[in-house]
Amino acid sequence: MIILVINCGSSSIKYQLLDMKSDDVYDLLAKGLVEKIGLPEGTIRHRPSGKEGFVRDLPIPDHVVGMKLVMDALVDPVYGVLKSFSDVEAVGHRIVQGADFFSGSALVDEDVLSKIEFCCDFAPLHNPAHLLGIHAVTDVLPDVPQVVTFDTAFHQTMEPYAYMYALPWEYYEKYRIRRYGAHGTSHQYVSQRGARLAGLDLGHSKIITCHIGNGSSVTAIKDGKCVDTSMGFTPLEGMIMGTRCGIIDANIIPYIMKKEGLTPAQMTEIMNKKSGFLGLSGVSSDARDMNDLALAGNKKAKIVLKKLTYDIVKLVGGYIAEMNGVDLIVFTAGIGENNPRLRRRVCEQLAYMGVKIDNEVNDAARGEEVIFSTPDSTVKVALIPTDEELVIARDTMRIVSTLEE
Ligand code: AMP
């Protein structure tokens, strides 16, 4: 089944075209990125498998034009990989927020659309863009079934004591304020792959997954189900991130707003876009820049990197206690997959409970599935590159196949 996987941001469309033969057998036909939608000059980068791609700069006024560019690239006589639009059999979309409406992926219909719309308030930067993407696909491929996969769905198995904030209960009832988590598709994927690689029975296992990228979260997974995760009502809660502050004393928020005369929107922008590595260092939100600056002796960058390790260790340690043990710890995403030093630092803090890693294997581990704990380590530790698009494609195939039966 030829499936187009779409991840729409407010000004971008990431796409992958996969030929899914089964859950584990598939070909990646092409991938690409449309950027700067709505700005005077946009860009499309198209990378077909097995041949040259292209980068083109041109105005892309909205997501419908962006989707048309994607489809044109896919059927282009030189750079394309399909003969016609009608070869696309289904489209799968990544959706950041599904709140407690969705514990799994769903076929797009009016009811699903209205629930995604309801959740726009919880993810104002993401859900409106996802809706634009769904409508743009409907415009270009009106008869093709569309499936939505939610970043929040995997976390729906959390118990109320893990997802409730200790605020007056009425806010939960009136406004659905509770913890939803995020990156669920990634945590689910890397825990399943990790269990397989480590020879664990997922249904009888305790796994902690560390998705450490520009956005970061840590999740505790018992017997294949999420029991806790570090992100909350929105993807702001939890640990330090590229531009997000993570957990802070909530009283700081009205205090800064009052002192600086800020609106709620301005304060939200500061906590989401101007904090984290960027806010502390004052220079960059990128972990590579933090490494370079720290090596050059920059004190703030050193604090950023120490805090990154410290936050992960606190979360992992807490989840070990919560699950009364752990069999496997997995690292994934941009930083988790590419920064052996960070992985070593986190594991060193777990040496007290018998976690031992092979430094040579860890240092060489980049972008490939590998266990880098030693055979006598009490806990296995693995690097698993995440693949959210594959999960979306699998779910899309599963749901669309049942329609055809
Ligand atoms: P993500 O959000 O998963 O794409 O991760 C982005 C983060 O991963 C950025 O902070 C990057 O600095 C970091 N990252 C990506 N590639 C590398 C690399 N090769 N070495 C170190 N950090 C990397």
Side-chain angles (χ1 to χ4, degrees):
M1 183 180 290
I2 303 222
I3 297 175
L4 179 61
V5 176
I6 297 286
N7 181 356
C8 262
S10 52
S11 64
S12 66
I13 304 172
K14 266 193 223 158
Y15 62 94
Q16 280 195 10
L17 188 73
L18 298 118
D19 184 1
M20 298 296 293
K21 293 173 172 119
S22 70
D23 264 8
D24 290 317
V25 183
Y26 60 91
D27 291 321
L28 174 66
L29 302 179
K31 61 194 224 175
L33 175 64
V34 179
E35 281 182 296
K36 299 186 188 163
I37 297 172
L39 296 178
E41 190 79 326
T43 308
I44 173 164
R45 287 165 212 279
H46 177 67
R47 285 168 53 196
S49 298
K51 56 178 161 177
E52 285 266 304
F54 66 78
V55 180
R56 269 182 212 147
D57 296 325
L58 73 172
I60 307 168
D62 56 37
H63 284 72
V64 176
V65 176
M67 266 317 299
K68 288 210 170 97
L69 284 173
V70 172
M71 291 312 300
D72 287 342
L74 294 175
V75 298
D76 186 277
V78 179
Y79 303 103
V81 288
L82 296 177
K83 286 204 185 76
S84 107
F85 285 5
S86 59
D87 291 345
V88 175
E89 291 164 271
V91 179
H93 296 264
R94 174 202 179 206
I95 310 288
V96 164
Q97 243 303 352
D100 47 7
F101 293 118
F102 300 98
S103 55
S105 299
L107 186 72
V108 173
D109 61 17
E110 284 309 316
D111 179 52
V112 167
L113 285 175
S114 72
K115 285 174 175 150
I116 298 173
E117 176 111 46
F118 180 92
C119 296
C120 281
D121 266 359
F122 306 167
L125 301 178
H126 295 98
N127 272 34
H130 302 325
L131 283 169
L132 287 174
I134 295 171
H135 293 310
V137 170
T138 310
D139 231 59
V140 183
L141 302 168
D143 300 322
V144 172
Q146 299 186 60
V147 167
V148 277
T149 299
F150 298 89
D151 274 16
T152 44
F154 182 60
H155 304 303
Q156 278 297 300
T157 46
M158 281 192 287
E159 293 286 346
Y161 56 79
Y163 70 66
M164 286 303 288
Y165 292 108
L167 287 165
W169 194 277
E170 63 179 288
Y171 299 123
Y172 169 60
E173 287 181 346
K174 279 207 277 198
Y175 308 120
R176 287 184 132 88
I177 291 180
R178 48 157 282 182
R179 305 181 65 247
Y180 294 110
H183 293 143
T185 320
S186 173
H187 289 292
Q188 182 184 8
Y189 175 79
V190 300
S191 61
Q192 289 170 352
R193 295 291 306 181
R196 201 190 286 186
L197 188 69
L200 292 172
D201 172 4
L202 187 68
H204 296 92
S205 63
K206 295 169 182 174
I207 301 176
I208 296 173
T209 47
C210 307
H211 177 114
I212 315 296
N214 189 34
S216 299
S217 61
V218 180
T219 293
I221 300 158
K222 190 156 183 270
D223 303 337
K225 295 194 174 107
C226 167
V227 291
D228 207 347
T229 191
S230 59
M231 284 179 167
F233 179 58
T234 73
L236 180 62
E237 193 181 328
M239 51 180 292
I240 184 172
M241 302 179 223
T243 60
R244 287 171 247 174
C245 59
I247 197 153
I248 56 171
D249 182 338
N251 278 334
I252 295 168
I253 300 162
Y255 187 80
I256 294 180
M257 287 172 73
K258 200 166 149 205
K259 290 277 178 197
E260 301 268 319
L262 299 175
T263 63
Q266 287 169 324
M267 192 64 211
T268 305
E269 164 108 357
I270 289 169
M271 293 185 295
N272 284 278
K273 300 264 172 193
K274 296 185 175 160
S275 299
F277 301 176
L278 177 64
L280 280 183
S281 73
V283 181
S284 167
S285 62
D286 195 288
R288 281 165 290 200
D289 293 337
M290 291 306 108
N291 290 336
D292 293 346
L293 286 166
L295 279 174
N298 184 299
K299 277 191 194 144
K300 290 177 182 170
K302 283 186 187 174
I303 292 173
V304 165
L305 292 175
K306 288 231 161 168
K307 181 161 176 59
L308 179 63
T309 307
Y310 171 82
D311 282 4
I312 299 170
V313 167
K314 277 208 298 190
L315 286 163
V316 170
Y319 291 158
I320 292 172
E322 218 176 280
M323 293 195 289
N324 199 359
V326 63
D327 303 309
L328 170 69
I329 299 170
V330 178
F331 288 86
T332 194
I335 303 174
E337 289 170 31
N338 292 294
N339 193 330
R341 205 177 141 101
L342 172 85
R343 297 192 297 258
R344 175 163 54 80
R345 288 264 156 86
V346 171
C347 292
E348 277 168 1
Q349 291 302 112
L350 303 170
Y352 77 93
M353 50 177 277
V355 173
K356 283 191 216 160
I357 65 163
D358 182 324
N359 282 321
E360 253 179 58
V361 179
N362 179 45
D363 287 347
R366 258 168 226 261
E368 271 185 28
E369 291 185 354
V370 62
I371 296 206
F372 59 91
S373 48
T374 57
D376 62 337
S377 173
T378 49
V379 177
K380 291 200 162 70
V381 190
L383 185 165
I384 306 283
T386 193
D387 195 342
E388 289 154 296
E389 286 78 11
L390 179 59
V391 178
I392 297 171
R394 279 178 183 162
D395 280 12
T396 303
M397 180 171 67
R398 183 175 44 77
I399 289 175
V400 172
S401 302
T402 59
L403 292 177
E404 288 165 355
E405 276 165 11

